[in-house]
Amino acid sequence: MQKGLTGCVAAFDTYRCDVEAGRFLRGVGAAAAATDASSSGGAEVSAGRVPDEIVAAAWQGDDAAVLAWLDGGGWVNARLEFVFSDGKRAGGMTLLMVAMAKGQEGLAEALLQR
């Protein structure tokens, strides 16, 4: 019985993450597109803030964008607010948590090395 329950919970988590990903990417897609169009360099670096386009890059597994932001002075342990599909917000998330929620193993490993 426990094995079946564990499998069910894992399947639900996968589905929930996919649903949340769709809402999240729709929400930050416009902001990231506007930033890309207006910026001539990389993403803005601020010790306490993770730019929306970097959060989206972590969700999508764009290692190069996330690592470039970190190399430019971004803080690997910076906290961010994540908006779930039901509109609830979760504070205290990190890029590592975002990458892990989407299964971006390579990026998660790179973030752990930092």
Side-chain angles (χ1 to χ4, degrees):
M1 173 89 166
Q2 184 64 25
K3 233 179 193 180
L5 180 59
T6 302
C8 183
V9 169
F12 176 78
D13 274 348
T14 299
Y15 171 76
R16 181 182 51 83
C17 286
D18 288 345
V19 169
E20 289 168 3
R23 183 178 189 302
F24 174 77
L25 292 176
R26 280 190 303 276
V28 297
T35 300
D36 288 345
S38 66
S39 69
S40 56
E44 144 194 354
V45 176
S46 173
R49 183 181 178 289
V50 180
D52 290 342
E53 63 269 18
I54 299 303
V55 177
W59 189 260
Q60 296 168 348
D62 185 353
D63 299 18
V66 174
L67 298 176
W69 180 74
L70 292 171
D71 290 342
W75 187 34
V76 71
N77 291 322
R79 303 289 186 204
L80 57 102
E81 185 176 84
F82 192 86
V83 180
F84 290 93
S85 58
D86 61 2
K88 292 182 181 177
R89 298 175 181 275
M93 300 282 288
T94 65
L95 289 172
L96 176 61
M97 292 174 181
V98 172
M100 292 295 290
K102 186 59 176 171
Q104 306 295 354
E105 295 175 21
L107 178 57
E109 183 64 35
L111 291 170
L112 286 170
Q113 297 300 319
R114 302 271 175 144

